Amino acid sequence: MRHWADTAADDDDAEEGLVRPYTITQGRTASARDDLTLITVIATVAGRGDQQTDRSLQPEHRLILRQCRSPVALAEVSARLRQPIAVTKILVDDLLGMGRVALRPPLTVVMGEEPDMILLQAVKDALLRL
């Protein structure tokens, strides 16, 4: 049988999980941009930061900048941050406003073109290794 204090402690933990994203985003609940999708690719803009500005960023912003030194999909950034996608979108939007990251839509296959079978096989092999 669980004691009421154990339940209260669990409730406090649940509330802390909800408060942190609110704190990270400074109360914002949605990104100002509507073009950020799960498959939007994000990359750090080279030479756009210095030690002083990096220290003024939240830890999550710095993690995003490190992750995106090579282009990464928004969904992957969110998973690595262990934050909801909405929170990640807000943080990426902040970095976009600072000129610290750039976006590009995912590469798509043009209708009528044959897909690159070597690339598709490489992706399949990588997924199977996970």
Side-chain angles (χ1 to χ4, degrees):
M1 177 177 223
R2 292 184 64 170
H3 188 271
W4 71 269
D6 294 336
T7 306
D10 288 345
D11 290 344
D12 289 343
D13 290 342
E15 286 178 18
E16 284 179 22
L18 295 174
V19 172
R20 180 71 176 135
Y22 181 84
T23 304
I24 292 170
T25 62
Q26 300 170 348
R28 295 169 291 165
T29 58
S31 169
R33 301 179 63 100
D34 60 355
D35 60 341
L36 290 172
T37 67
L38 293 175
I39 57 175
T40 299
V41 178
I42 306 156
T44 303
V45 175
R48 292 290 302 190
D50 58 32
Q51 293 288 342
Q52 189 65 24
T53 57
D54 282 355
R55 278 184 280 211
S56 67
L57 296 174
Q58 291 192 38
E60 292 80 9
H61 286 118
R62 290 191 297 271
L63 285 170
I64 292 170
L65 290 173
R66 280 197 295 275
Q67 283 184 49
C68 296
R69 288 180 183 147
S70 298
V72 181
L74 181 67
E76 189 171 342
V77 172
S78 181
R80 288 181 184 171
L81 280 178
R82 294 188 174 131
Q83 292 294 331
I85 196 72
V87 170
T88 306
K89 284 181 178 182
I90 292 167
L91 296 172
V92 167
D93 190 16
D94 292 345
L95 292 169
L96 278 165
M98 294 177 219
R100 300 294 303 271
V101 296
L103 303 179
R104 73 167 171 76
L107 299 176
T108 57
V109 176
V110 177
M111 294 300 288
E113 276 189 25
E114 287 294 314
D116 182 350
M117 296 308 290
I118 294 170
L119 175 63
L120 291 175
Q121 186 63 45
V123 169
K124 177 184 172 188
D125 292 343
L127 289 171
L128 290 172
R129 284 192 300 264
L130 292 177

